[in-house]
């Protein structure tokens, strides 16, 4: 069941923000529908999270809109399926939260955003597997493909904990194919780490069984905890689909 506030509570009042914070704390995500093209979703997201905007690849707002050069890629601006991932794994400090604002949903019925908690998957791992994921430091940073050297990269373990909260740094595309945005029908030669490849395949299976599917309505906002939730997207064909994305914290 998607958690949504009543439309008359979706504003920046103290009561609305307090209720939104409770929902986010309880569920690690919140989805709201406003029917208001002028809703200040960025200010709302900042107030709910208590965080400031974090630049993403040189800009504060990333426009998630179909571009021809990404057409056949598994990319936010392409039409292919996006495999599960946490955002900005190649950052030294990935954002704590992500927010999406839907300016226009795809008319074709596709382009559904999916999210899933990672805690359930971590519980399926053996202690040996968890220790290996926590102790082994991996390089995250595209050395090939359309996102080559988009950041300086980062060296970190895939799994860490903040208290009892598991924090995952994972991109299924990157681990399986060595490319954050591969062309699924024209994959480049790549040999993934056998252990990570197995973990990734298991995570994809887990994700398929446990995700929430949210087909965002126009003028809706989806906000989630990027440290403890992974996300993905289904394929779509309508080139007029348009969302905006921000990083927080």
């Amino acid at each position: 069941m998607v958690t949504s506030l009543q439309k008359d509570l979706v504003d920046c009042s103290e009561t609305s923000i307090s209720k939104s914070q409770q929902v986010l704390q309880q569920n690690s995500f919140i989805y709201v529908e406003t029917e208001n093209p002028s809703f200040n979703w960025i200010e709302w997201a900042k107030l709910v999270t208590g965080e400031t905007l974090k630049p993403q690849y040189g800009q504060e707002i990333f426009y998630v809109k179909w571009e021809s050069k990404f057409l056949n890629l598994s990319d936010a601006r392409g039409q292919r399926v996006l495999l599960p991932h946490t955002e900005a794994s190649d950052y030294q400090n990935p954002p704590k939260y992500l927010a999406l604002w839907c300016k226009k949903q795809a008319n074709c019925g596709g382009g559904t955003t999916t999210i899933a908690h990672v805690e359930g998957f971590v519980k399926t791992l053996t202690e040996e597997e968890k220790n290996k994921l926590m102790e082994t430091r991996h390089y995250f940073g595209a050395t090939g493909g359309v996102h080559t050297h988009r950041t300086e990269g980062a060296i970190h373990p895939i799994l860490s904990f903040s208290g009892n909260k598991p924090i995952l740094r994972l991109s299924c595309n990157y681990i399986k194919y060595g490319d954050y945005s591969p062309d699924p029908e024209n994959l480049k030669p790549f040999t993934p780490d056998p252990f990570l490849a197995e973990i990734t395949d298991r995570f994809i299976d887990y994700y398929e069984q446990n995700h929430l599917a949210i087909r965002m309505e126009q003028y809706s906002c989806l906000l989630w905890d990027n440290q403890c939730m992974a996300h993905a997207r289904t394929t779509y064909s309508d080139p007029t689909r348009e969302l905006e994305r921000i990083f927080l914290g």
Side-chain angles (χ1 to χ4, degrees):
M1 179 70 69
V2 173
T3 300
S4 179
L5 296 182
Q6 297 295 319
K7 293 181 178 65
D8 61 352
L9 289 178
V10 183
D11 54 44
C12 292
S13 68
E14 184 176 345
T15 300
S16 176
I17 295 302
S18 177
K19 182 174 178 64
S20 298
Q21 289 172 334
Q22 292 173 17
V23 173
L24 180 62
Q25 182 177 15
Q26 179 179 350
N27 299 300
S28 300
F29 80 96
I30 182 170
Y31 170 64
V32 298
E33 297 175 357
T34 74
E35 298 182 348
N36 178 6
S38 300
F39 176 63
N40 193 341
W41 66 282
I42 295 178
E43 184 64 20
W44 173 82
K46 289 165 62 178
L47 290 171
V48 171
T49 62
E51 301 288 352
T52 58
L53 292 185
K54 183 184 185 76
Q56 47 184 316
Y57 314 115
Q59 54 192 335
E60 287 192 338
I61 300 176
F62 181 82
Y63 297 93
V64 185
K65 188 175 181 180
W66 196 6
E67 294 185 23
S68 58
K69 71 176 182 178
F70 298 99
L71 176 63
N72 295 320
L73 304 183
S74 176
D75 187 271
R77 290 165 291 184
Q79 69 172 11
R80 304 297 190 193
V81 170
L82 275 176
L83 291 182
H85 61 288
T86 57
E87 196 65 37
S89 60
D90 53 341
Y91 271 43
Q92 290 294 331
N93 295 293
K96 294 180 182 178
Y97 299 97
L98 258 67
L100 288 175
W101 170 253
C102 182
K103 296 184 70 174
K104 184 184 182 302
Q105 186 51 274
N107 292 330
C108 63
T112 298
T113 301
T114 61
I115 55 176
H117 293 86
V118 304
E119 183 176 11
F121 175 71
V122 172
K123 289 180 178 179
T124 70
L125 300 173
T126 67
E127 288 302 313
E128 182 181 0
E129 289 170 336
K130 284 189 284 189
N131 289 335
K132 189 170 182 178
L133 289 174
M134 289 188 290
E135 294 170 359
T136 305
R137 294 168 63 86
H138 301 276
Y139 175 76
F140 295 87
T143 57
V146 70
H147 293 302
T148 301
H149 307 306
R150 68 179 179 182
T151 68
E152 294 181 356
I155 300 175
H156 281 277
I158 286 176
L159 176 65
S160 59
F161 283 85
S162 176
N164 293 324
K165 173 185 173 183
I167 298 174
L168 206 63
R169 185 188 290 251
L170 179 68
S171 164
C172 294
N173 271 341
Y174 182 67
I175 290 176
K176 286 176 67 70
Y177 308 120
D179 187 340
Y180 280 107
S181 298
D183 178 347
E185 297 182 359
N186 186 28
L187 295 172
K188 307 299 182 184
F190 178 74
T191 303
D193 177 282
F195 170 70
L196 295 185
E198 181 190 355
I199 293 293
T200 299
D201 285 340
R202 285 162 50 188
F203 181 71
I204 292 173
D205 289 341
Y206 167 86
Y207 191 94
E208 286 301 310
Q209 296 296 320
N210 294 278
H211 71 263
L212 295 171
I214 304 173
R215 189 172 186 275
M216 298 177 66
E217 297 294 331
Q218 189 173 35
Y219 313 134
S220 65
C221 185
L222 176 62
L223 169 67
W224 71 91
D225 186 329
N226 184 53
Q227 294 183 333
C228 66
M229 299 198 79
H231 65 285
R233 189 207 63 216
T234 65
T235 187
Y236 71 100
S237 59
D238 179 9
T240 66
R241 178 183 185 268
E242 184 174 0
L243 282 73
E244 295 179 358
R245 184 183 74 196
I246 57 174
F247 289 177
L248 298 123

